[in-house]
Amino acid sequence: ADPKMSRVWVIMGAAGSGKSTTAQKVSFELKRIYKNRPAPVFVEGDDHHPSENKAKMSQGIPLDDTDRAPWLEAIKVAIIQAAPGAEESKPQHPYLEGKEGMIDPIGGKDIFVTCSALKKSYRDTLASVAETDVVKSVRFICLKVTEDELRSRLEKRQETDPSHPFGAALLQSQLETLEITDDVHQVDGAGEVRKVTGRVLNAVLLLSRLIMADKPFPHPNVPGPKGLYKNEPNQDPERYVKEPYQHPPHDPKWNQYYIDRLGIPEKIEKDKQRKKEEWKKEKKERILKGEKDPRPEHKFWYFHPSTYRIEPETLDEDVCKFMDRWLIAMTAYRLVGELENRVIDHVCYRCETEEQYHDAVALMVGAGHEVAGTSIIGGRPISTIRLKKPIKWKKWEIPAVEIPMPKPGRPKRKGWEHAEVALMTDGDGKPLDFKGTDELEKLIYRHQLPRGMPVPWDRKGMDKDINAEVSTDLGSYMCVKFHNRPLLEVVEYELAHGMAQKPSWEYREVD
């Protein structure tokens, strides 16, 4: 067994951001979900302050680097002491039955540490425990809260707990010391505790899969189609009719694995509704028996509808939520730097059936968006929707949505899947054209160096004659693709050269 199975999560941020409460709630949820793992360990950083530090803070005197050095070393010792035991939890194969809790393809042990970790040097000290034989990774999750909200929380805490050494007077020094660098995953810490807990839990679940990616979960080895395959705009549209794609054989246990672990949104949504109906019936029966205010014994867990819906009324909100999750995965692979001075030219919405594809396009057209063009790629149509108003997300504006029909014999999960990034210029600032792959090769090389997490690049798109691309799977049904020029420019090029068509869509009602 691999002893390096412990994942350390440092919940960081300024005083009053809710580090302790959030860390305890998230560790409790992980314990509830994965009953076969060792229980997560909670390490309260404030408990490891020397008495001299507590005395200084109670007098309103900020701590310096010398004060914090023994404190950080004490936290490191606590982490190392908590780490053993992770090797007892192995990834659980879906063919193993009769165990409680969800199927667990990750295993390992989670250690939650609360620490302000304000400076990069402090975080480097804590991250050095990953060099031991018991810790696999150390990740930092920062709770973002406004200064006014932090001050208000600290003042309330001082009223309810006057013995707490940290008061509002020290907040300003912490905010001035705080350094946010690429090693920090930021999460919104404002709002209700349950919402903040959900945001951090989602980040932990996603990053856990990426951290353990060097031990991929076994999957049936399914060979691809025979013969040369080039993803070109003008390839034979009857290709999959002549030579059907070899898809995996039906296996109910594998299907149940994906339903239980990865989650099929519609299935989970139906289960949620079924449980709610059952609870209404049970509640009435318990009230008739004389029970006052009966409560359910389970929670209604489900995928948020924004994950898999395409609705014009909520389009901006849904895309921004997807992009927030996408950015977490990009950060984990150290790819965020590649977004600087680039264009995020579109997002892709996948459909499971041909009918869903036609419905999705009809919905967008009916809402006033435009079909910029439709190309036949891989034997099925892909429509590019030019939005009447770009979606604003952080400092980028996303002008288009790509909606592909699923390939014959290769259904995809319905929902938002990937975003594509246009490089636009080379290293010297010269504009790129539709031809050439030099900048893509440089991009691949930059992330093949032996540092951080190696990126599993998919190069099959490099063979395209027009706007070659390279992609990588980010996990959790998300990926990113890089190419030279934006999709809308490619569509215009294809229209001009007869490689795509611009259909005249008539609006039709969609249930």
Side-chain angles (χ1 to χ4, degrees):
D2 183 2
K4 296 190 62 143
M5 291 284 283
S6 291
R7 297 175 293 275
V8 178
W9 307 97
V10 180
I11 309 301
M12 58 168 285
S17 57
K19 300 185 290 291
S20 299
T21 301
T22 303
Q24 289 175 323
K25 293 281 187 182
V26 173
S27 61
F28 174 80
E29 290 299 331
L30 283 177
K31 180 180 178 181
R32 188 185 64 80
I33 295 171
Y34 297 111
K35 296 182 173 63
N36 300 308
R37 287 187 195 174
V41 178
F42 173 63
V43 177
E44 174 59 75
D46 287 345
D47 293 345
H48 297 273
H49 269 298
S51 56
E52 296 83 0
N53 289 4
K54 294 180 180 179
K56 289 183 70 173
M57 289 189 291
S58 63
Q59 298 171 21
I61 303 174
L63 302 180
D64 56 23
D65 290 0
T66 305
D67 297 324
R68 290 190 174 99
W71 173 53
L72 296 171
E73 290 298 326
I75 293 177
K76 282 178 56 179
V77 172
I79 292 172
I80 294 172
Q81 291 175 347
E87 65 274 11
E88 299 173 6
S89 173
K90 301 176 183 178
Q92 183 185 342
H93 198 284
Y95 290 111
L96 298 177
E97 299 177 348
K99 292 196 173 186
E100 296 181 355
M102 291 181 66
I103 291 169
D104 185 6
I106 297 175
K109 182 178 184 179
D110 295 288
I111 302 171
F112 288 88
V113 180
T114 58
C115 177
S116 53
L118 302 173
K119 289 186 178 181
K120 178 70 165 61
S121 58
Y122 303 163
R123 297 193 288 273
D124 289 343
T125 300
L126 296 177
S128 64
V129 298
E131 299 171 3
T132 65
D133 294 332
V134 290
V135 173
K136 185 172 185 66
S137 66
V138 180
R139 293 296 171 96
F140 299 90
I141 299 178
C142 180
L143 301 178
K144 296 189 300 180
V145 184
T146 63
E147 181 177 350
D148 292 341
E149 177 66 18
L150 290 172
R151 196 171 299 280
S152 173
R153 292 182 184 181
L154 290 175
E155 290 171 353
K156 290 179 181 178
R157 185 172 72 182
Q158 205 66 34
E159 293 175 1
T160 57
D161 184 12
S163 63
H164 199 286
F166 199 100
L170 295 172
L171 177 61
Q172 191 59 39
S173 66
Q174 280 209 337
L175 295 177
E176 292 173 356
T177 307
L178 181 61
E179 300 173 356
I180 299 297
T181 52
D182 290 343
D183 63 328
V184 176
H185 306 279
Q186 296 192 73
V187 174
D188 186 5
E192 301 175 33
V193 173
R194 63 181 183 85
K195 292 186 177 181
V196 178
T197 301
R199 295 173 198 143
V200 176
L201 179 62
N202 286 340
V204 168
L205 292 174
L206 171 62
L207 294 172
S208 295
R209 294 180 62 194
L210 297 174
I211 290 168
M212 309 303 285
D214 61 340
K215 294 184 176 297
F217 197 66
H219 190 281
N221 184 21
V222 181
K226 299 178 182 178
L228 183 63
Y229 170 62
K230 283 193 174 183
N231 190 17
E232 298 174 356
N234 55 352
Q235 68 176 255
D236 182 5
E238 301 296 323
R239 178 176 179 276
Y240 284 105
V241 176
K242 298 175 182 175
E243 187 178 343
Y245 181 78
Q246 301 177 30
H247 57 276
H250 175 71
D251 187 328
K253 290 184 178 179
W254 273 106
N255 290 351
Q256 191 61 41
Y257 161 70
Y258 285 115
I259 289 172
D260 289 349
R261 175 65 188 96
L262 302 180
I264 295 176
E266 291 83 355
K267 168 71 166 59
I268 295 177
E269 182 71 16
K270 289 177 181 178
D271 285 350
K272 183 194 74 167
Q273 296 300 334
R274 177 180 55 79
K275 286 183 179 181
K276 282 192 172 183
E277 292 300 324
E278 291 175 354
W279 165 240
K280 286 181 182 179
K281 183 178 178 181
E282 179 187 342
K283 185 176 181 180
K284 288 181 181 179
E285 293 174 353
R286 287 164 64 174
I287 291 174
L288 290 173
K289 292 179 180 178
E291 186 175 346
K292 293 183 179 180
D293 192 24
R295 299 296 178 93
E297 298 178 356
H298 59 269
K299 290 187 177 182
F300 300 109
W301 284 85
Y302 65 100
F303 271 64
H304 193 277
S306 64
T307 308
Y308 57 87
R309 71 185 172 195
I310 181 166
E311 296 286 349
E313 296 80 7
T314 60
L315 184 66
D316 287 29
E317 175 188 352
D318 294 347
V319 170
C320 289
K321 284 183 178 179
F322 164 74
M323 293 301 294
D324 288 341
R325 295 191 301 113
W326 180 83
L327 186 64
I328 292 175
M330 291 285 285
T331 304
Y333 276 113
R334 306 287 195 269
L335 287 171
V336 173
E338 301 297 344
L339 301 180
E340 289 298 321
N341 302 318
R342 311 296 194 196
V343 171
I344 300 177
D345 60 299
H346 75 276
V347 290
C348 176
Y349 179 84
R350 292 286 186 181
C351 302
E352 291 178 342
T353 65
E354 181 177 340
E355 184 65 21
Q356 287 179 7
Y357 162 78
H358 290 299
D359 287 349
V361 176
L363 275 171
M364 298 297 284
V365 173
H369 304 293
E370 175 193 2
V371 179
T374 300
S375 303
I376 302 298
I377 302 177
R380 82 328 189 177
I382 297 181
S383 289
T384 302
I385 309 296
R386 188 195 306 272
L387 303 176
K388 56 186 178 183
K389 184 179 179 181
I391 297 171
K392 292 185 178 180
W393 175 72
K394 298 189 181 296
K395 62 181 179 180
W396 290 275
E397 292 189 352
I398 304 172
V401 172
E402 180 184 52
I403 306 178
M405 181 188 289
K407 290 182 179 180
R410 296 176 64 182
K412 291 278 189 176
R413 167 190 174 272
K414 183 173 78 171
W416 299 101
E417 183 205 50
H418 70 259
E420 300 201 15
V421 181
L423 302 181
M424 304 302 289
T425 59
D426 62 14
D428 298 325
K430 297 179 181 179
L432 298 172
D433 56 21
F434 296 123
K435 306 290 184 179
T437 59
D438 290 349
E439 292 304 312
L440 296 175
E441 293 287 0
K442 293 177 183 177
L443 170 69
I444 294 171
Y445 175 75
R446 283 197 295 273
H447 295 276
Q448 283 184 337
L449 301 178
R451 57 182 177 81
M453 180 181 292
V455 177
W457 292 113
D458 184 345
R459 300 174 58 100
K460 67 173 178 287
M462 297 283 275
D463 294 332
K464 293 171 64 175
D465 291 337
I466 301 169
N467 217 32
E469 66 185 24
V470 64
S471 64
T472 187
D473 184 359
L474 300 174
S476 291
Y477 297 115
M478 294 184 294
C479 71
V480 61
K481 297 182 180 181
F482 292 89
H483 45 219
N484 287 354
R485 304 302 303 178
L487 177 61
L488 289 175
E489 291 185 12
V490 176
V491 170
E492 292 175 0
Y493 178 90
E494 291 177 344
L495 289 170
H497 291 77
M499 300 177 182
Q501 58 181 335
K502 194 168 184 178
S504 57
W505 287 86
E506 294 183 0
Y507 177 68
R508 60 191 177 100
E509 294 291 336
V510 179
D511 294 334

